[in-house]
Amino acid sequence: MEPDSPSTPRRTLTELLFVIFLRMIAVTCFWFGMQYWAMLVGYSLEGRARFDLLNLPWRAAAPTLAVLFPVASLGLWLAVSWGAVLWAMAAIIQILMYVVWSDIFGENHLVPLLNVLVASLYVVFRLALWLEGRRKEEKVRIDLP
């Protein structure tokens, strides 16, 4: 008996690990986004960081990150390219906040360090997937008469 729908190719171990990695980052991004929203609406920090009480730089950065992180989370969960782009934008904003403009936003060495670590792992995964794809192409070329 023939199946009704065509079979999908099986994912390699590298592809599977990459999707798991993206979903772990997606959960983290969603958590970051909810933290920013909680801060902006006064739920966290005893209401001292509500939007109306923030200075101008925080009024620009916090809502931007509160929107970018959850949307990036969706894109990362679905493993689509725009999710990584939005995450990279949010990570760059955080790195600028805590490294370049630390006199305005305060010092936080952990967040930029973790963003650089995640970006490095992402590059390693993309490189591994690219090499895997090249090996598959070479194998197909060799197998063709």
Side-chain angles (χ1 to χ4, degrees), residues 10 12 15 131-141:
R10 292 189 58 158
T12 64
E15 292 169 337
L131 290 172
E132 196 172 80
R134 281 192 61 191
R135 270 189 250 124
K136 284 180 185 177
E137 286 177 12
E138 288 175 9
K139 185 177 180 182
V140 168
R141 285 187 201 142

Side-chain angles (χ1 to χ4, degrees), residues 43-110:
Y43 184 74
S44 65
L45 302 173
E46 298 173 3
R48 290 176 282 142
R50 284 189 339 238
F51 181 79
D52 59 329
L53 301 176
L54 295 175
N55 60 15
L56 186 60
W58 272 102
R59 279 188 184 189
T64 302
L65 293 172
V67 171
L68 273 178
F69 274 123
V71 177
S73 173
L74 175 64
L76 290 168
W77 188 268
L78 297 174
V80 292
S81 59
W82 56 264
V85 171
L86 292 179
W87 172 83
M89 289 173 56
I92 289 168
I93 290 170
Q94 281 192 322
I95 290 170
L96 289 173
M97 284 171 57
Y98 295 123
V99 174
V100 176
W101 301 306
S102 60
D103 53 328
I104 297 171
F105 294 100
E107 289 189 14
N108 187 340
H109 300 293
L110 184 62

Side-chain angles (χ1 to χ4, degrees), residues 115-133:
N115 281 323
V116 169
L117 176 66
V118 169
S120 301
L121 283 171
Y122 183 83
V123 168
V124 167
F125 268 117
R126 294 303 299 182
L127 183 61
L129 289 169
W130 179 73
L131 290 172
E132 196 172 80

Side-chain angles (χ1 to χ4, degrees), residues 8-20 22-23 76-80 129 132 136:
T8 58
R10 292 189 58 158
R11 288 187 174 172
T12 64
L13 180 61
T14 308
E15 292 169 337
L16 184 64
L17 290 174
F18 182 59
V19 170
I20 291 170
L22 289 178
R23 290 194 173 170
L76 290 168
W77 188 268
L78 297 174
V80 292
L129 289 169
E132 196 172 80
K136 284 180 185 177

